[in-house]
Amino acid sequence: MHKRLVPAVAIAVVLMVLAPLTGLPVGASVNADAPASDASPALSVATDASNHTETVPGTGAILDVAPAPDGGTYLVGGTAPEAPNLTVTRVDRNGSVVWQRSYEAANASRVGRSVAATDEAIYVVETVGPVRSASTPPTERPQERLLRLDTNGSVVWTESLGNATFAERGGLVAAPDGGVVLARPTGTRDRATSLLRVTPDGTVAWNRTYEGGRPRSLAATDDGGYLVGGQFGYDQGWVLGVAPNGSVELNVTLGGFHERRVAGVTATDDGGALLIGDAGVRGFGEVDPWAARVDADGAVRWSRTYPAEPRVRARAAVDTGEGLLAVHDLNGEFGERGTRLTHVTPTGAVGTASVEGERFGAVPRLLEDGTVRLYGTRYNRTGSTPETFEITVSGTVSETTVPSPAAAPLEAHAGVTTNQTAYRGQNLRLDAPGGTTFGLLRLPGEYTEFDEPRLVRRLTTANGSVTFETATLESGRYAVRTAPNFWVGLENGSTVGITGNESAVAFEVRDRRLRFDYRPDHRPRPGPSDGPGFDDRVVETFDGEGVVEAAIDAEGESFTARVGLTRLNGSSPTPAELRAALAADPQFGGMQSVGTFDGRPYGTVAMPADGDRNLTLNASALPAGLYRVTVTADETFDATEPATDQVVVIHEERDVRVVPRNETLTLPADGSASTNLTLAGADAGLRAFRVEANRTGPPSVSLNLDLARTLDYRSASGGGGMGGDRSSAHAESLEIVSSPNGSFTIATLRVEARRFGDETPRTGNNTITLGPAYAVDRDGVPYSLDDPVTLTYTVTEAQNATDTEDGERTSESSTRRSGRESGSASSSTTVRGGGGDGN
């Protein structure tokens, strides 16, 4: 699969938002085995006085775009968020609307997900579903259909694709005969990708299924094949290459410990693939732009993240001829919304730019003159019809230099002894005469003894050495082999002999894991009580509190760990403040004198070998605020998942409290009851908060907390647990845009009667304790917390009823149905996916 790269051209960007654009400097951060340093073209965007804003009328949400034969563009999506109609809009090369069609369906919604075009046809994948209302049966499933339109928008034919299993679009590209190839997610519990080749008359030429992966992107190659990019399982990036008939030629998964998602893929001139998306490698809950390149054999040439603040989510990508330009939504729990552009070349060089403002969805389109135009839709929380805006930005291709491998923390060479452990991120260097080819193979595990060793890397020495990176490897047993099939023994990273027995030369690659370890005697009060962390996450220094401890579980040999803190607004303590906080720990090793931790200061502490210890922190030495505390292995911090937790530091008494509207609730044993909760005392508004409810003892009930609509928040979470003797629930938001001052409704507590196993009695009285775990004002300064309140509930005999808000009971007689519908298709082939060479 080969791809021709076009010469460098000027790049302009059209962004459909109402927001100023700020140019960011070009830079790269290596997250794996980097290629040699060189200069490569990358995107550099700057604003100028010609910026203007326009609206494309009637389009609603634009979900995909495709080039028209004369240089124009087709836009597909849907109008009206509640009951949308499918819209297809044709604009010319200048952006002016040529025609627009709206396709309605009686008592149904229609939304266009993907579009592709040929000289004679427009192909659209749409989702057709019931209009959302109280009378819609919960088991009614949305359907997907493939439409062929003529160049004026008239429907030629419609083919059913079956149930719509996921909302994300898979991919659609034009085929050489005038038909299309469609990648779509299929399956429910078991993820899979269906790849269909459809002829111009609507006939399915072939249909293959590849298990384990979900598609996000589809690209054609010069030899008539196709590349599918997406996600394998729940946390691995995935690229699948197939021949023109759908047979597998390339099948690679990347990652395995941190979540990675692929948003775009394109072929490279060596027959491999360049892919781009996002990854959560940094920990902190942060997600960054991520890209990787694999060769024709499936070996990962390099894999990198490009740290971004705030966190991002990849939406779509376009092939610029020089690489991939990805569009990422900026949606950090500690930052602003907006859009980030990340342009990555096959060498790993990167250029970036950001647009701040309201969150909006955007899909890119490469025009004939090299201009990249982004079509997007701005969303809000009021449910109004989305609006589409346009901003023109000028830009040029510039030069940037990729940092050399020696400059990256991951490039420290690991001392590897046969049958010993090498931590993921400590790369393996082998010295041998130039031109010597080594293969790194993953050996079968305990329950896969009948499998064959699997090649995951193949590298040839240059200048007498070669380095195998480990940041993208799965944990497991590995061995090195050289031609012709000789296994190589290793001692401290050097070759010491050759044998025919792979077990004799095996070594283990594993993650050096750290986690905050929950212990019963370290139950937070009144902080979050559903997981690991400090013995008291909320430190009220005005009340004499100061030093806190966190139980940490470390795996592996003794090592040095990095400790960093980040405030809610994204800032960090000064080195002096952090030093004063960490000095309380008896194993504090001082502040790092060279370098930073994700651009922030950090200190070091010693960690024991495969043991537990307490991390001690003098919180009173820190300014007031909500902090994320991050601990990670020093020498492999880019390749291991950090342990993170929260600490809230309060220096002044400003109590807030939670007040239930009803202090008593009555519910039948087959029903539920609920009450609103008011937060009182928040005179300076809210930026973040968490509320919790807990119950111990019978009768057993489940607790649920839902955030109120009085808050405008960008990100939120909730959770809870249920057991025979206790249940809990929490709801929180770390990014509140606006809220009232003083007292206002913050959440709704719902109590539902549950029977746990053979537990009796099912009726009776008990209490629920609820209160805020933390509350931070709009300036980032935490409030102090009043004592939790107690709510009483009574479970009565079953009455075939369910309760509504504040205990008003209503009868419940709904019928629940189960079952699955399957769509029709031609004869298909199932192929096992995801067993590639780049884990």
Side-chain angles (χ1 to χ4, degrees), residues 214-217 228-232 236-239 260-263:
R214 180 195 297 182
R216 290 284 310 280
S217 176
V228 179
Q231 190 173 12
F232 189 83
Q236 299 181 79
W238 179 48
V239 58
R260 287 174 168 86
R261 303 191 318 156
V262 176

Side-chain angles (χ1 to χ4, degrees), residues 435-725:
T436 303
T437 298
F438 291 101
L440 180 66
L441 291 92
R442 190 169 194 268
L443 304 179
E446 180 180 359
Y447 301 104
T448 56
E449 61 270 18
F450 300 107
D451 291 347
E452 293 295 323
R454 177 163 53 88
L455 178 69
V456 294
R457 302 284 192 277
R458 180 187 291 119
L459 294 176
T460 302
T461 58
N463 302 321
S465 67
V466 66
T467 300
F468 287 103
E469 62 88 11
T470 66
T472 57
L473 292 178
E474 291 181 88
S475 296
R477 295 172 64 247
Y478 291 83
V480 173
R481 190 169 67 185
T482 188
N485 296 329
F486 291 128
W487 297 96
V488 179
L490 304 174
E491 289 286 347
N492 297 321
S494 300
T495 59
V496 295
I498 293 177
T499 179
N501 182 1
E502 69 271 18
S503 296
V505 297
F507 59 91
E508 185 181 359
V509 174
R510 59 184 282 191
D511 295 296
R512 171 167 279 166
R513 299 191 184 185
L514 282 161
R515 67 187 182 96
F516 286 98
D517 188 17
Y518 173 69
R519 300 176 184 174
D521 58 338
H522 283 189
R523 181 183 302 276
R525 191 213 62 79
S529 59
D530 62 331
F534 288 86
D535 56 355
D536 193 341
R537 286 187 176 93
V538 179
V539 183
E540 296 181 337
T541 62
F542 64 86
D543 206 21
E545 300 174 358
V547 176
V548 294
E549 290 185 342
I552 296 182
D553 180 24
E555 297 181 12
E557 302 169 0
S558 58
F559 61 95
T560 300
R562 301 183 179 197
V563 182
L565 277 73
T566 307
R567 295 186 69 189
L568 182 65
N569 61 7
S571 66
S572 295
T574 66
E577 292 168 340
L578 186 56
R579 176 187 294 275
L582 291 174
D585 192 284
Q587 300 298 319
F588 174 54
M591 299 297 296
Q592 182 73 11
S593 59
V594 178
T596 58
F597 182 37
D598 288 336
R600 305 180 179 95
Y602 66 91
T604 60
V605 297
M607 299 301 299
D610 285 327
D612 299 334
R613 63 155 293 187
N614 286 336
L615 173 67
T616 304
L617 188 70
N618 182 10
S620 63
L622 300 170
L626 186 154
Y627 292 87
R628 289 176 299 174
V629 182
T630 302
V631 184
T632 190
D634 183 49
E635 72 275 17
T636 59
F637 82 97
D638 274 347
T640 58
E641 182 174 351
T644 62
D645 201 358
Q646 294 176 351
V647 169
V648 181
V649 180
I650 305 171
H651 289 327
E652 60 178 312
E653 186 171 3
R654 296 185 304 158
D655 281 353
V656 293
R657 64 188 184 279
V658 169
V659 181
R661 179 176 175 181
N662 285 7
E663 295 185 356
T664 60
L665 293 175
T666 301
L667 61 153
D670 58 352
S672 64
S674 63
T675 183
N676 286 342
L677 304 180
T678 296
L679 185 70
D683 297 330
L686 276 184
R687 176 74 184 276
F689 88 101
R690 175 172 170 132
V691 62
E692 293 188 345
N694 293 279
R695 181 274 310 176
T696 302
S700 61
V701 294
S702 67
L703 307 178
N704 297 280
L705 283 164
D706 297 316
L707 297 182
R709 292 185 176 273
T710 53
L711 303 176
D712 180 11
Y713 54 87
R714 293 172 181 165
S715 61
S717 65
M722 175 68 186
D725 61 346

